[in-house]
Amino acid sequence: MTTIDLRPPTAAEGAGPGITLAVDIGGTKIAGALVREDGALLVTARRPTPRTADGDGVMGALEEVLGELAQAAEWAAVRRCGIGSAGPIDASRGTVSPVNIGAWRGYPVVERTRAALTRLGAPVPTVLVGDGVAMTAAEHWLGAARGHRNALCMVVSTGVGGGLVLDGRLHPGPTGNAGHIGHISVELDGEDCPCGSRGCVEIIASGTSIARHTGRTDAAAVAEAARAGDPAALAAFDRAGKALAAAIAATATLVEIDICVIGGGVAAAGDLLFGPLRQHLKTYAALDFVRHLEIAPAALGTDAGVVGAAAAALQLAPA
């Protein structure tokens, strides 16, 4: 079993001084930050994720983020780099194949990032984790899952990802994909998912899917309509909450988590999502040992991806 100790590292444990470069890659944006060892973001940069570019075109957006950060005075103190990416990923090979970035299939993002950093004068150790694992690392270190020994943390946004903390340690699995709850099937005869399966949580509960099911531009527009009482919009959030509840309850039954933390753009809808989710969870989490499962919104908001990538790098990158 692959686990990572998520205690904040100290210099005595080999973390050393300096700044961590953190990168968060998603289907909508590529964000980067220079992060202090207490989790404070010193400098940030971001670019939209190219929709029609080839693989190197997407990498070009990442290189622009790195180039902007390299202009900061703090760049000289960068000692390590953490990349959190939409998945699936293969941490052992340093490659990514995000479902929502079609141009990247087995793309060698670690190798290409290392090359870019070398050109920018920072040839530092670089590690890769999935975006759900990064968010989990962040929330367990500094956020809503802090102090919990067994937790599921989820990103519900353009896609749906997640990560697990078991017995106080992050559990990414051999390739870094453990806890990838977005591709658990909750409708056995449901809609085909881009991952190749059907009825996945993501094809029901992601912001993209919520918008598509209502004919609106994005999940924020659906939330606005739902607050105004639109039945179709309310039904879309109820359907999403039900799918999430089924997957969360199944995970809790399997590994006995005591809290599920949910972040991402769709979670920003607040009670429109959390209300039906908690209501449906009463049906799915029926066994005694999962009945009291806590559902909590993420505490770190849009910063969770870069904070989590930094947390993972602090633990995994060679000193």
XYZ file of all heavy atoms in Angstrom, residues 1-4 88-95 128-130 133 164 166 170-180 316:
210
model
N 0.845 -1.194 0.000
C 0.000 0.000 0.000
C 0.879 1.242 0.000
O 1.804 1.359 0.803
C -0.914 0.018 1.228
C -1.817 1.239 1.293
S -2.964 1.197 2.704
C -1.871 1.550 4.054
N 0.614 2.179 -0.907
C 1.379 3.418 -0.971
C 0.707 4.475 -0.115
O -0.462 4.777 -0.293
C 1.446 3.938 -2.417
O 2.012 2.921 -3.234
C 2.291 5.184 -2.501
N 1.452 5.018 0.860
C 0.906 6.071 1.700
C 1.907 7.201 1.819
O 3.109 7.012 1.612
C 0.564 5.556 3.115
O 1.759 5.036 3.713
C -0.502 4.478 3.077
N 1.419 8.371 2.140
C 2.261 9.540 2.335
C 1.892 10.161 3.660
O 0.723 10.430 3.934
C 2.046 10.577 1.213
C 2.338 9.948 -0.154
C 2.919 11.802 1.435
C 1.915 10.822 -1.301
N -7.024 10.557 -15.386
C -6.023 9.745 -14.709
C -4.591 10.238 -14.938
O -4.300 10.889 -15.924
C -6.207 8.356 -15.314
C -7.500 8.385 -16.041
C -7.725 9.788 -16.426
N -3.739 9.897 -13.981
C -2.315 10.164 -14.095
C -1.563 8.854 -13.899
O -2.151 7.851 -13.480
C -1.837 11.192 -13.054
C -1.897 10.583 -11.637
C -2.654 12.473 -13.122
C -1.108 11.354 -10.606
N -0.281 8.868 -14.192
C 0.581 7.755 -13.815
C 1.805 8.376 -13.157
O 2.746 8.815 -13.835
C 0.992 6.913 -15.026
C 1.722 5.634 -14.625
O 2.349 5.620 -13.543
O 1.669 4.650 -15.385
N 1.759 8.464 -11.842
C 2.834 9.117 -11.109
C 4.154 8.389 -11.277
O 5.219 9.012 -11.252
C 2.460 9.211 -9.623
N 4.108 7.080 -11.462
C 5.347 6.312 -11.604
C 6.061 6.637 -12.912
O 7.291 6.575 -12.987
C 5.055 4.812 -11.517
O 4.213 4.405 -12.591
N 5.310 7.003 -13.934
C 5.897 7.350 -15.236
C 5.969 8.850 -15.468
O 6.612 9.305 -16.418
C 5.072 6.708 -16.356
C 5.058 5.189 -16.347
C 4.106 4.651 -17.404
N 4.457 5.166 -18.734
C 3.593 5.265 -19.737
N 2.320 4.925 -19.546
N 3.974 5.715 -20.901
N 5.280 9.624 -14.631
C 5.274 11.068 -14.809
C 4.400 11.536 -15.947
O 4.624 12.609 -16.515
N 3.356 10.748 -16.272
C 2.490 11.076 -17.403
C 1.060 11.343 -16.937
O 0.643 10.900 -15.870
C 2.467 9.937 -18.431
O 1.976 8.739 -17.801
C 3.855 9.680 -18.983
N 4.539 14.467 -9.185
C 3.212 14.533 -9.784
C 2.195 13.812 -8.913
O 2.446 12.689 -8.468
C 3.241 13.884 -11.174
C 1.914 13.656 -11.891
C 1.272 14.991 -12.272
C 2.132 12.783 -13.136
N 1.041 14.461 -8.673
C -0.096 13.819 -8.012
C -1.364 14.204 -8.773
O -1.380 15.187 -9.510
C -0.236 14.230 -6.530
C 0.959 13.754 -5.722
C -0.411 15.739 -6.385
N -2.421 13.427 -8.594
C -3.700 13.777 -9.179
C -4.303 14.987 -8.483
O -3.981 15.272 -7.318
N -6.016 14.148 -5.266
C -5.051 13.859 -4.213
C -4.444 15.157 -3.693
O -4.240 15.335 -2.486
C -3.956 12.901 -4.725
C -2.848 12.716 -3.698
C -4.572 11.549 -5.079
N -7.985 10.062 -0.821
C -8.272 9.434 0.470
C -7.156 9.669 1.474
O -5.970 9.643 1.120
C -8.426 7.915 0.292
C -9.670 7.414 -0.438
C -9.478 5.948 -0.817
C -10.906 7.594 0.430
N -6.204 7.693 4.909
C -6.520 6.510 5.696
C -5.500 6.392 6.831
O -4.291 6.413 6.585
C -6.482 5.250 4.822
C -7.426 5.239 3.606
C -7.241 3.960 2.800
C -8.878 5.393 4.045
N -2.103 10.138 3.574
C -2.630 10.173 2.218
C -2.387 8.833 1.541
O -1.321 8.242 1.685
C -1.928 11.288 1.438
C -2.509 11.668 0.069
C -3.866 12.321 0.225
C -1.546 12.608 -0.648
N -3.395 8.349 0.817
C -3.294 7.056 0.141
C -3.517 7.260 -1.358
O -4.626 7.116 -1.861
C -4.324 6.075 0.707
C -4.322 4.744 0.014
N -3.292 3.839 0.162
C -5.199 4.177 -0.837
C -3.551 2.768 -0.572
N -4.715 2.953 -1.187
N -2.451 7.593 -2.111
C -2.632 7.834 -3.545
C -2.651 6.572 -4.385
O -3.070 6.609 -5.542
C -1.410 8.694 -3.898
C -0.368 8.270 -2.922
C -1.092 7.921 -1.651
N -2.184 5.453 -3.842
C -2.099 4.227 -4.623
C -0.846 4.198 -5.479
O -0.136 5.194 -5.621
N -0.558 3.055 -6.110
C 0.689 2.894 -6.865
C 0.868 3.883 -8.012
O 1.983 4.323 -8.281
C 0.598 1.448 -7.392
C -0.312 0.755 -6.439
C -1.314 1.797 -6.032
N -0.208 4.230 -8.710
C -0.083 5.161 -9.841
C -0.569 6.562 -9.506
O -0.528 7.454 -10.344
C -0.871 4.656 -11.065
O -2.280 4.645 -10.758
C -0.415 3.265 -11.476
N -1.063 6.746 -8.270
C -1.534 8.072 -7.870
C -3.007 8.313 -8.110
O -3.466 9.452 -8.025
N -3.789 7.268 -8.392
C -5.188 7.450 -8.754
C -6.193 6.948 -7.720
O -7.399 7.006 -7.952
C -5.467 6.757 -10.090
C -4.758 7.431 -11.233
O -5.075 8.549 -11.592
N -3.765 6.758 -11.809
N -5.720 6.428 -6.579
C -6.656 5.951 -5.565
C -7.551 7.101 -5.092
O -7.097 8.229 -4.933
C -5.905 5.357 -4.387
N -8.823 6.812 -4.896
C -9.775 7.840 -4.479
C -10.399 8.596 -5.630
O -11.107 9.584 -5.409
N -10.176 8.146 -6.870
C -10.702 8.853 -8.047
C -12.205 8.562 -8.182
O -12.658 7.870 -9.079
C -9.951 8.420 -9.295
C -10.090 9.355 -10.455
N -10.831 10.512 -10.397
C -9.586 9.306 -11.703
C -10.773 11.122 -11.559
N -10.010 10.406 -12.372
N 7.273 14.559 -0.832
C 7.781 13.554 -1.757
C 9.066 13.923 -2.460
O 9.825 13.044 -2.869
C 6.719 13.253 -2.821
C 5.422 12.622 -2.327
C 4.446 12.497 -3.471
C 5.683 11.285 -1.687
